[in-house]
Amino acid sequence: MTEHECRACRRQDGHIVLDLDDQPACDYFPTYDDSGPDPVYPLQMWLCAHCGLAQLLEDPTTPEEPKGAEPAALVAQAADAVARVTAAGLLPAGARVAEYGSPHGGSWLDNLAGQGLKPVDDGGEADVILDCFGMMHAADQAAALAERAGRLAPGGVLLLQFHSIETILRTGQWNALRHGHFAYYSATALAAMMDSLAATSRARLSPRTAWLFDLYGGTVLLAVQRDGEGRAADGTITALRDGEERAGVTRPAAYERLQRDVRARAEALHGWLAEMKASGKSVVGYGAASRAVALLRTAGVDADLLPAVADASPGKAGTRMPGTRIPVITPAALVDRAPDAVALFVSDLLAEVRAAYPQVEAAGGQWVDADALGIDR
Ligand SMILES: [Zn+2]
């Protein structure tokens, strides 16, 4: 393999800090009667020693990027975020807004139009640019940041929302690593990316303030201003970067525990499912999300231990979990099975699914957070 070049600063000095071995493309849901084998590809995280950006090492897959059902937690967070950014005076009525959305869905534009902002056409200059889990999908991170900065009017604000690498380390969410997601940000690495951009272009971006949300265990919304001379970052940025420094987000040593979490969580899931089976109890999964794919495969869990995973996306019923023989079923089929336990692979859905499928608990079933198994902190 040729030396990896950082997706942001182009340096070649870095380390593989997380190795999930070979994994199927997590968006590749074969039909149930497709007997496979599903192609697998190396899945590794690389940490740049120069700019500190954690990133996907290589991606030989062709992402399908299907839009899943939008979790209620994501919709609620968007409304909360728009209210908080508006209260900070960063979403003035009449401002031109552009959005770089996630291919998985979840637009804020209706919400922002409701605040009196005016959406601009593709490529047009904007006073506010919103990037909600969008930029992580760009293989060339330096180019992606330059593109956004280039569209921003002087004094304009870029709002960047990301699932932070500090959260991933703190909660042991190694299965956030997936093909198609090229960057795992910290405010620290983003600041280095902005410094590089300023050195190579006329666009000077400066972090101003940040908000934290509980989504995915810890999501950051960073407000960055273009050419806002003379204004300093506020205390939220300092606190964020201090927390990242303590967590060691730019140091390979901090990732050793994350690599140990791979085995710990895989063994805990396998052990729990084997115990449930041995005691004659039925378990069904919920959430055919990308993070479930790597977790099930790493844990060596197949249809003998987990006979089905339910998912609300209409496009996924009738498929199977990549790399396994586990069928994806509808939530209605899950309710019909009245399982003793449901392994939830997307923690943020807990409140929503408990409310949507009260029959599960009414029949004596229990929702179990699969992300928490094997995590003792
Ligand atoms: Zn770098």
Side-chain angles (χ1 to χ4, degrees):
M1 193 182 86
T2 52
E3 205 62 19
H4 177 73
E5 184 178 86
C6 175
R7 299 179 183 279
C9 74
R10 318 284 194 220
R11 309 287 180 105
Q12 295 187 340
D13 183 14
H15 304 87
I16 292 173
V17 289
L18 179 62
D19 190 344
L20 300 187
D21 210 344
D22 288 341
Q23 298 286 346
C26 56
D27 285 332
Y28 174 77
F29 281 82
T31 56
Y32 184 70
D33 47 21
D34 177 339
S35 59
D38 303 338
V40 293
Y41 314 91
L43 182 55
Q44 295 160 317
M45 183 187 281
W46 188 87
L47 182 66
C48 179
H50 182 73
C51 72
L53 181 66
Q55 54 200 271
L56 183 62
L57 182 64
E58 57 176 324
D59 189 1
T61 70
T62 312
E64 313 229 333
E65 305 289 9
K67 285 190 183 179
E70 206 173 328
L74 197 65
V75 177
Q77 186 270 339
D80 183 18
V82 169
R84 287 162 76 174
V85 180
T86 301
L90 294 178
L91 295 175
R96 297 162 298 167
V97 62
E99 183 178 57
Y100 287 86
S102 161
H104 311 295
S107 172
W108 294 16
L109 274 188
D110 284 350
N111 228 323
L112 294 172
Q115 299 284 326
L117 281 82
K118 310 230 172 309
V120 294
D121 292 338
D122 280 356
E125 186 177 82
D127 305 303
V128 175
I129 292 182
L130 170 68
D131 189 299
C132 179
F133 306 118
M135 197 161 81
M136 68 191 310
H137 296 90
D140 186 334
Q141 286 290 304
L145 186 63
E147 182 188 338
R148 287 154 179 75
R151 287 186 65 182
L152 203 54
V157 172
L158 169 63
L159 294 165
L160 263 178
Q161 178 159 295
F162 57 92
H163 182 215
S164 88
I165 187 67
E166 187 273 334
T167 298
I168 292 171
L169 289 169
R170 175 169 41 80
T171 58
Q173 290 183 52
W174 50 266
N175 49 335
L177 179 66
R178 50 157 286 179
H179 294 115
H181 288 180
F182 295 95
Y184 303 82
Y185 302 108
S186 59
T188 307
L190 281 164
M193 287 171 66
M194 290 172 206
D195 288 346
S196 306
L197 179 70
T200 55
S201 79
R202 284 174 303 167
R204 176 168 298 282
L205 297 177
S206 314
R208 293 292 179 224
T209 192
W211 297 266
L212 292 175
F213 298 89
D214 293 335
L215 189 69
Y216 305 136
T219 288
V220 174
L221 177 59
L222 188 66
V224 171
Q225 194 174 31
R226 175 163 183 185
D227 307 329
E229 302 300 340
R231 288 189 53 200
D234 71 11
T236 60
I237 303 284
T238 319
L240 190 57
R241 294 197 50 172
D242 286 352
E244 290 174 355
E245 170 62 24
R246 282 193 299 276
V249 297
T250 61
R251 295 193 297 275
Y255 292 73
E256 288 167 13
R257 183 169 70 167
L258 191 63
Q259 184 72 58
R260 288 197 300 273
D261 288 332
V262 175
R263 224 2 66 220
R265 289 186 51 202
E267 283 171 4
L269 176 64
H270 192 280
W272 174 66
L273 289 171
E275 230 169 76
M276 291 294 281
K277 186 178 181 180
S279 53
K281 295 197 166 131
S282 58
V283 183
V284 172
Y286 191 97
S290 58
R291 66 196 101 162
V293 175
L295 180 58
L296 290 172
R297 186 174 159 87
T298 306
V301 169
D302 214 321
D304 56 322
L305 287 179
L306 189 65
V309 172
D311 195 279
S313 314
K316 284 183 182 166
T319 65
R320 57 176 173 75
M321 294 299 288
T324 75
R325 293 297 308 161
I326 302 172
V328 180
I329 62 173
T330 62
L334 174 144
V335 167
D336 285 347
R337 285 172 181 242
D340 294 305
V342 184
L344 183 62
F345 294 112
V346 184
S347 310
D348 291 272
L349 289 177
L350 183 60
E352 185 179 354
V353 291
R354 285 189 71 190
Y357 313 112
Q359 306 93 321
V360 170
E361 286 169 289
Q366 189 191 358
W367 293 91
V368 174
D369 180 0
D371 283 335
L373 294 171
I375 294 290
D376 58 0
R377 57 182 186 263

